[in-house]
Amino acid sequence: MTRKEIVAALRELLEQQEQLKVDVGRITLDSRLDGLGFDSLSVMDFFYDVENRFKVPIEIADLVALERVDELVDYIEHKLAA
């Protein structure tokens, strides 16, 4: 899966998140994940959806360390290559 495909798939998953406070069209790779409007439960739901979509496990310690959308893309890209 290419980086562009990962970004497109993440955008689709974000569009499904009803609790986002930001228009998905305004989200960039530099957008901070904590600025998207997730609460503690909805962010876990989102990452569960990410795990299912990409078939990669996301470790809690890694989840806490991810700050921006591009870091999430890098993380998924790395997991898919492993």
Side-chain angles (χ1 to χ4, degrees):
M1 179 173 272
T2 68
R3 185 172 184 85
K4 186 175 181 177
E5 291 170 328
I6 293 170
V7 170
L10 281 175
R11 185 168 300 280
E12 288 175 18
L13 290 175
L14 286 167
E15 287 173 350
Q16 297 171 10
Q17 303 301 311
E18 297 176 2
Q19 71 285 346
L20 287 184
K21 296 178 183 173
V22 177
D23 175 25
V24 174
R26 299 188 66 188
I27 298 172
T28 68
L29 290 175
D30 291 329
S31 295
R32 293 187 52 85
L33 292 169
D34 62 0
L36 299 181
F38 288 114
D39 60 28
S40 58
L41 182 58
S42 61
V43 75
M44 295 307 290
D45 288 341
F46 172 68
F47 280 106
Y48 176 78
D49 292 344
V50 170
E51 285 181 321
N52 285 330
R53 170 63 177 86
F54 295 102
K55 306 292 187 242
V56 297
I58 299 177
E59 304 298 326
I60 295 296
D62 295 335
L63 173 64
V64 172
L66 297 172
E67 294 182 1
R68 294 186 325 267
V69 173
D70 65 334
E71 293 174 359
L72 177 56
V73 173
D74 291 343
Y75 183 85
I76 294 168
E77 201 170 35
H78 174 75
K79 289 286 191 172
L80 288 174

